[in-house]
Amino acid sequence: MPAASFDRRLTPARADLAAEYLRGLVEAPRFVEGRNKRIIAASVPLRRSPQADASLETEALFGESAIVYDEQGDWAWVQLDRDKYVGYLPAVALGAPSTPTHRVAALRTHAYPGPAIKLPPIMALPLGARLTIAGREGDFAISKEGFYVWWRSLAELSAYEPDAVAVAERFLETPYLWGGRTSEGIDCSGLVQTALMAGGIASPRDSDMQEKTLGEPIAIDDPSTPLARGDLMFWKGHVGIMRDSLTLLHANGWHMKTVSEPLAQARERIAANGGGEVTSVRRLGGAP
C-alpha cells in the first residue's frame, strides 16, 4: 500500500495492484504499466469505488486522456492525465487514444452528425472538452469521430483565455455539484481549476491542493496589499476567486450554485455556519 506520504487521490496504488512507476516506492503484489485511453463521453464521473452510488471524486471530459491500470466488469481504474486524479469510471466511456488539436471554448456546444444545426445533436460537449479536428465544412469543424461542431465554439489548444476570471463568470448560476466540472454542475475547486486551465494555468483538482501549490501568499486584511481580480480566497475545504477587491465568485453549498457576492458577506456567513475564517489568500502570476 502507499506510504503515508502519498496522497491516495493522486496515487494509483491499491492493496492488490499499483502502477509500475511506483515500484520500489509502494508495496503491492503486482505492478502494471497501464494503457493509454481517451474519454469518449461528453463527461463521465470518476468515483472513489466501482459503484454507481459511490462518492463522486471529479469528472473527466470528452477527449481527455487517462491511464487504465485495471478493468473489471463495467469499471476501469484509471489515473487522469489532466490532474493525476485516481479513481473508477465506467469502462464504456473509454476509447482509443488520440492527439487533440482543439478545445471547447464555449460553456457548452453541440456535436452534430452533419453540417446543420437542425439535426438532432449527438451530445453536448462542455467547456474544456478536447477534440481532434480533421477538417472543416462551412461554419463547422469536423472531428476525427465525424462530429460536426460549430467552429466559433472552439479554440486551438495553445490559445489560452486572456482572463481566467471571465471564464469563471460564465458559470454564474450553475448548480452546485460536489465533484462537478461542467455547466450542469460544478464545485468550488472545479470552478477554479476549469477557469485557470482555460487561461493556461495548470491547477490541481481539490482546494487543499490548490492552496498548497497555486500562486504566492499575500497578507489577509492588509490595507497595503489590497485584493485584486484573480486572487484566490481559501477556507478549510473551500475556495473562491475575486472579481475585484470586494467581490467573491464561488460555487458553494449554501446557495447551491455559483454566485457573486460581497466578500465581507461571504466571510461572515461562512464563519457563522462553522466554516471558519479565511486560511490564506493566493495571488497568481500571469499565464504561460
Side-chain angles (χ1 to χ4, degrees):
M1 291 296 291
S5 59
F6 286 97
D7 189 328
R8 63 127 188 113
R9 296 169 293 180
L10 306 177
T11 308
R14 307 184 314 207
D16 64 327
L17 177 68
E20 178 62 39
Y21 74 83
L22 292 172
R23 186 183 292 272
L25 300 175
V26 302
E27 294 182 4
R30 185 161 63 100
F31 293 86
V32 296
E33 287 287 354
R35 295 172 290 121
N36 287 311
K37 291 289 185 175
R38 176 175 59 99
I39 305 301
I40 58 173
S43 62
V44 63
L46 186 83
R47 300 193 182 279
R48 185 173 297 186
S49 59
Q51 299 166 291
D53 59 353
S55 174
L56 178 63
E57 299 280 72
T58 186
E59 292 180 303
L61 308 184
F62 187 94
E64 292 183 341
S65 298
I67 304 296
V68 179
Y69 290 105
D70 190 30
E71 192 170 331
Q72 295 185 18
D74 296 333
W75 296 92
W77 185 56
V78 309
Q79 182 169 40
L80 302 181
D81 182 62
R82 177 187 178 97
D83 52 27
K84 308 307 178 187
Y85 227 103
V86 175
Y88 294 85
L89 53 74
V92 70
L94 294 167
S98 181
T99 302
T101 60
H102 290 70
R103 61 179 175 84
V104 173
L107 194 61
R108 192 168 286 271
T109 193
H110 287 109
Y112 296 94
I117 62 174
K118 292 184 179 180
L119 291 172
I122 299 169
M123 65 176 68
L125 297 166
L127 187 149
R130 298 182 166 205
L131 294 161
T132 303
I133 299 303
R136 184 172 175 180
E137 184 172 338
D139 287 322
F140 290 89
I142 307 171
S143 76
K144 181 181 178 181
E145 299 83 7
F147 297 166
Y148 287 74
V149 182
W150 195 250
W151 179 261
R152 289 185 288 278
S153 67
L154 303 178
E156 292 183 1
L157 281 185
S158 59
Y160 299 126
E161 299 287 342
D163 182 0
V165 180
V167 177
E169 289 170 337
R170 298 182 205 169
F171 287 90
L172 278 167
E173 299 296 318
T174 294
Y176 180 85
L177 175 66
W178 180 276
R181 284 182 55 204
T182 78
S183 60
E184 289 188 339
I186 201 164
D187 66 13
C188 66
S189 55
L191 177 68
V192 168
Q193 184 194 48
T194 297
L196 294 184
M197 296 190 83
I201 302 171
S203 171
R205 178 58 178 89
D206 293 343
S207 62
D208 63 316
M209 303 175 188
Q210 293 170 352
E211 187 171 19
K212 291 176 182 176
T213 61
L214 291 175
E216 299 294 334
I218 65 172
I220 302 173
D221 298 326
D222 183 350
S224 66
T225 312
L227 295 173
R229 183 175 176 87
D231 286 346
L232 300 177
M233 302 290 299
F234 289 94
W235 289 259
K236 184 178 181 180
H238 188 58
V239 61
I241 190 166
M242 297 302 296
R243 300 182 77 182
D244 54 44
S245 63
L246 299 174
T247 311
L248 180 72
L249 179 70
H250 61 148
N252 68 90
W254 174 263
H255 296 96
M256 286 303 291
K257 60 183 179 180
T258 299
V259 301
S260 175
E261 62 176 325
L263 173 63
Q265 174 179 295
R267 292 180 69 174
E268 181 179 356
R269 183 186 64 252
I270 291 171
N273 284 279
E277 302 295 333
V278 171
T279 55
S280 72
V281 183
R282 311 283 296 188
R283 178 160 294 172
L284 301 168

